Amino acid sequence: MSDKAMGDPSATPAYKMAGASVVKGTFTLLDTRPPGMNDVKGTAWLAQGSKGTTVTVSLTGLKPGHVYMAHLHAQHCSADNGGSHFQFEKGGPAKPPNEIHLMFTADKSGMGMTTVTNSRKTGKDAVAIVVHPNEAQDNRIACADFDF
């Protein structure tokens, strides 16, 4: 998968990456979420191994057919809802491959899941992941801290 890719729901999920170090986080709702997002729940996994960094998100309670975006963040959820995006090169481009983005569409039941891989490793600098509607990136729905 290209470092510029933003997700593949059929890719091997992070939690199944052989020989990789995997951390997991549970999404918690944020006060900035748009109306109607009170039932969103989910999990994120971040794996680092020979293929670089693989991230998988799985959420339920989303609006069916809507497009969502998730980004790795450099601060924990308690610090300004995850603060700014994690970047491999700080101050560099705010897009892949310098950032890890996951874009996905919720299915008819409101479930969304996707995986993306970047050839570089984040180390312990990407400590959280935030999900929001693609069309309203300031309306952060939920955040998950990774348990390093």
Side-chain angles (χ1 to χ4, degrees):
M1 181 182 301
S2 163
D3 281 349
K4 293 185 180 186
M6 289 201 260
D8 178 356
S10 63
T12 301
Y15 56 86
K16 289 188 176 180
M17 297 300 289
S21 172
V22 181
V23 291
K24 176 180 170 180
T26 301
F27 282 102
T28 57
L29 294 174
L30 299 174
D31 292 339
T32 55
R33 69 188 178 275
M37 299 271 95
N38 295 339
D39 295 326
V40 174
K41 296 178 184 170
T43 306
W45 297 266
L46 184 147
Q48 296 183 75
S50 62
K51 294 183 179 182
T53 301
T54 299
V55 181
T56 299
V57 295
S58 177
L59 296 122
T60 59
L62 301 169
K63 291 184 180 177
H66 283 241
V67 178
Y68 295 89
M69 177 75 81
H71 304 92
L72 289 181
H73 282 252
Q75 292 178 283
H76 290 285
C77 300
S78 61
D80 194 27
N81 292 334
S84 58
H85 293 176
F86 163 82
Q87 295 186 319
F88 289 101
E89 179 186 323
K90 291 180 181 164
K95 60 184 180 181
N98 194 45
E99 294 186 1
I100 295 180
H101 295 192
L102 297 93
M103 185 179 283
F104 57 95
T105 302
D107 67 15
K108 63 184 176 184
S109 72
M111 191 269 192
M113 180 176 180
T114 196
T115 298
V116 70
T117 297
N118 186 296
S119 63
R120 296 165 75 181
K121 292 182 184 179
T122 61
K124 293 183 180 179
D125 294 331
V127 297
I129 188 165
V130 174
V131 65
H132 53 79
N134 188 51
E135 73 280 359
Q137 296 194 18
D138 288 341
N139 291 347
R140 296 177 179 187
I141 299 167
C143 183
D145 284 328
F146 290 114
D147 186 20
F148 283 105

